[in-house]
């Protein structure tokens, strides 16, 4: 009957949503931003979107968190601790990070920039972790540089809830739960594929998304 | 009855802030992130903004007062951060003045910077006053 199949559809949707929520709760995002307002905002955006979040206030702290600082750098860093928000239970900076599923970083930061961080990550054992770069400035050459440097996505600040939806597909790609994802929400040619090397020519397709001035 | 009246006043005040261009869409984004479990999120973010803006203003004042050498790059850098924060909370008028200030920095126009800086401070103070009234009204209405 008509009514029954509608109810079935609703239950099915609910189930799918619940599954998605469950998937998300396993995802841990490392957010890097020197602005405390933007960190607070990011933390809230990500938490509302059901991700676990750890925020740090600099690229150096991010490298420390990821265990990518060399001996000299970690000496300097030891005096300060990993700051601010974290929804995961690992507050101690000495504890080994078990997993990071996504790194979101501001572009302009004192010390090492988001781009520098991106390059360091992509040279490291964390190279398969998607990195998203954020910036308040809409500079096409900057966007291209980051995407070509291996960033999965470039978000313009202020980051919104709608931007969070873009993250999920990037995260799913890296866990290889789905080989290809056809996202019916996207009517553009956002390219979904397995985690691949930054030189992947697929990345060129993103340039079509760049704003034209 | 009293509460309804206060709620209406708060709603009207909020609408005016948007209509008069003090706040933009980003403020609504903040409101959307607020819920019963985090009922003061917007106010917390706004408070953070005012701590930050006081610091930015102080630093610009120091940099502008330096009568020997004006580092436009440094001024631009501080204002860039200030602008970012104002953008993150939806402070439209403040953001606009920050942008204007940056234009004068790029042009190396000290007088323009000083003039615009007065505007930045003014808009910042005005919005702070209005938001404080708004939050107070909301508290009384709940």
């Amino acid at each position: 009957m008509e009514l029954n199949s509608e109810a079935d559809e609703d239950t099915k949707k609910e189930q799918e949503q619940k599954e998605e929520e469950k998937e998300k709760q396993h995802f841990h995002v490392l957010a890097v931003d020197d602005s405390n307002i933007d960190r607070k905002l990011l933390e809230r955006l990500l938490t509302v979107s059901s991700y676990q979040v750890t925020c740090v206030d600099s690229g150096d702290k991010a490298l420390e968190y990821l265990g990518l600082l060399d001996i000299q750098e970690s000496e300097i860093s030891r005096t300060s601790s990993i700051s601010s928000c974290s929804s995961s239970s690992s507050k101690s900076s000495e504890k080994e990070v078990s997993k990071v599923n996504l790194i979101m970083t501001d572009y302009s930061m004192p010390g090492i920039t988001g781009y520098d961080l991106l390059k360091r990550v992509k040279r490291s054992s964390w190279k398969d972790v998607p990195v998203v770069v954020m910036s308040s400035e809409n500079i096409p050459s900057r966007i291209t540089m980051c995407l070509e440097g291996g960033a999965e996505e470039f978000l313009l600040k202020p980051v919104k809830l709608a931007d969070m939806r873009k993250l999920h597909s990037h995260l799913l790609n890296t866990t290889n739960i789905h080989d290809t994802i056809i996202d019916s929400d996207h009517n553009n040619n956002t390219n979904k594929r397995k985690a691949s090397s930054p030189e992947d020519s697929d990345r060129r397709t993103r340039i079509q998304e760049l704003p034209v001035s | 009855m009293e509460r309804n009246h206060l709620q209406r006043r708060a709603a009207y005040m909020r609408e005016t802030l948007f209509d008069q261009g003090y706040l933009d869409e980003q403020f609504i984004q903040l409101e959307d992130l607020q819920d019963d479990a985090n009922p003061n999120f917007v106010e917390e973010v706004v408070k953070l903004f005012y701590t930050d803006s006081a610091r930015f203003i102080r630093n610009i004042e120091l940099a502008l007062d330096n009568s020997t050498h004006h580092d436009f790059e440094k001024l631009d850098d501080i204002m860039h951060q200030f602008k970012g924060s104002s953008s993150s909370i939806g402070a439209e008028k403040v953001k606009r003045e920050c942008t204007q200030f940056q234009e004068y920095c790029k042009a190396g126009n000290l007088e323009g910077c000083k003039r615009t800086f007065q505007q930045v401070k003014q808009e910042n103070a005005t919005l702070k006053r209005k938001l404080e009234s708004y939050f107070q009204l909301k508290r009384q209405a709940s």
Side-chain angles (χ1 to χ4, degrees):
Chain A
M1 285 216 311
E2 192 71 1
L3 226 61
N4 269 344
S5 65
E6 267 181 39
D8 284 345
E9 269 302 301
D10 282 342
T11 328
K12 195 177 162 203
K13 265 190 191 153
E14 252 181 64
Q15 273 176 351
E16 277 173 9
Q17 269 178 354
K18 276 195 186 139
E19 269 173 42
E20 202 180 283
E21 289 302 306
K22 260 179 76 183
E23 277 169 359
K24 284 179 180 176
Q25 272 155 29
H26 297 298
F27 290 139
H28 178 213
V29 181
L30 177 65
V32 191
D33 201 315
D34 61 313
S35 157
N36 52 5
I37 290 178
D38 288 344
R39 276 198 309 279
K40 189 173 173 75
L41 194 53
L42 265 174
E43 193 243 353
R44 188 76 191 123
L45 282 167
L46 289 164
T47 306
V48 156
S49 306
S50 302
Y51 300 111
Q52 289 195 303
V53 196
T54 299
C55 295
V56 295
D57 63 8
S58 72
D60 289 298
K61 297 268 178 63
L63 288 174
E64 186 184 352
Y65 187 80
L66 296 169
L68 296 179
L69 282 183
D70 59 35
I71 311 292
Q72 275 179 326
E73 287 171 309
S74 52
E75 282 302 313
I76 297 165
S77 247
R78 200 160 297 157
T79 50
S80 53
S81 58
I82 309 279
S83 68
S84 66
C85 56
S86 175
S87 67
S88 68
S89 54
S90 56
K91 299 269 198 302
S92 160
S93 55
E94 313 252 85
K95 180 181 168 175
E96 254 184 39
V97 174
S98 50
K99 67 165 188 212
V100 171
N101 299 104
L102 175 74
I103 297 169
M104 292 184 74
T105 179
D106 187 26
Y107 180 89
S108 324
M109 295 187 291
I112 81 168
T113 67
Y115 179 74
D116 296 329
L117 178 62
L118 165 70
K119 298 298 277 178
R120 290 284 287 266
V121 166
K122 289 302 168 186
R123 280 204 299 271
S124 76
S125 51
W126 297 98
K127 65 180 177 344
D128 290 329
V129 176
V131 180
V132 170
V133 181
M134 305 170 285
S135 176
S136 56
E137 293 172 292
N138 189 350
I139 301 172
S141 57
R142 175 183 293 183
I143 298 173
T144 311
M145 185 178 77
C146 289
L147 293 176
E148 287 181 352
E152 290 293 317
E153 187 85 55
F154 190 99
L155 297 175
L156 286 177
K157 283 174 140 185
V159 177
K160 302 171 175 41
L161 259 177
D163 294 323
M164 297 294 106
R165 274 183 246 132
K166 295 183 194 175
L167 302 180
H168 195 58
S169 56
H170 294 309
L171 284 161
L172 286 179
N173 275 330
T174 60
T175 56
N176 289 332
I177 288 173
H178 308 273
D179 283 340
T180 55
I181 297 164
I182 294 135
D183 188 343
S184 54
D185 286 343
H186 286 247
N187 56 8
N188 59 18
N189 58 352
T190 312
N191 203 1
K192 313 275 198 299
R193 56 204 163 17
K194 288 189 196 173
S196 53
S197 72
E199 288 87 88
D200 197 310
S201 62
D202 286 346
R203 223 165 271 287
R204 298 279 172 225
T205 61
R206 289 214 190 285
I207 296 176
Q208 289 178 47
E209 292 175 29
L210 293 179
V212 177
S213 55
Chain B
M1 278 302 272
E2 175 68 9
R3 192 209 270 196
N4 264 347
H5 172 68
L6 286 171
Q7 279 175 344
R8 274 203 303 277
R9 272 182 64 194
Y12 179 73
M13 198 177 176
R14 179 185 169 279
E15 218 175 284
T16 311
L17 286 169
F18 285 104
D19 288 343
Q20 294 179 345
Y22 287 99
L23 296 175
D24 65 30
E25 213 272 334
Q26 179 59 19
F27 192 81
I28 299 175
Q29 287 283 321
L30 296 183
E31 290 176 323
D32 285 347
L33 290 171
Q34 193 161 279
D35 59 21
D36 290 336
N38 297 267
N40 302 310
F41 178 72
V42 183
E43 206 175 340
E44 283 165 14
V45 177
V46 169
K47 280 198 180 125
L48 260 184
F49 173 69
Y50 282 111
T51 315
D52 278 3
S53 62
R55 198 178 71 240
F56 293 135
I57 286 171
R58 182 85 191 110
N59 288 339
I60 290 177
E61 256 160 4
L62 288 171
L64 281 174
D65 277 348
N66 185 349
S67 52
T68 50
H69 165 68
H70 291 99
D71 188 343
F72 286 107
E73 206 175 298
K74 180 172 182 182
L75 285 167
D76 183 68
D77 186 57
I78 302 170
M79 196 47 94
H80 171 76
Q81 293 176 65
F82 193 170
K83 181 182 165 185
S85 294
S86 60
S87 170
S88 292
I89 71 158
E92 193 180 324
K93 289 196 184 197
V94 177
K95 184 173 78 167
R96 209 177 310 144
E97 296 303 331
C98 290
T99 306
Q100 186 62 69
F101 184 96
Q102 285 188 285
E103 293 298 311
Y104 283 124
C105 281
K106 288 181 183 54
N109 183 339
L110 185 63
E111 281 315 303
C113 282
K114 285 181 171 173
R115 238 182 8 249
T116 311
F117 184 51
Q118 297 310 312
Q119 292 294 102
V120 170
K121 283 196 287 190
Q122 201 171 317
E123 289 298 343
N124 187 63
T126 302
L127 181 63
K128 183 173 184 193
R129 219 174 47 237
K130 289 180 184 280
L131 283 176
E132 273 169 1
S133 301
Y134 171 63
F135 287 126
Q136 191 176 42
L137 207 51
K138 281 200 74 184
R139 256 196 304 276
Q140 289 169 341
S142 62

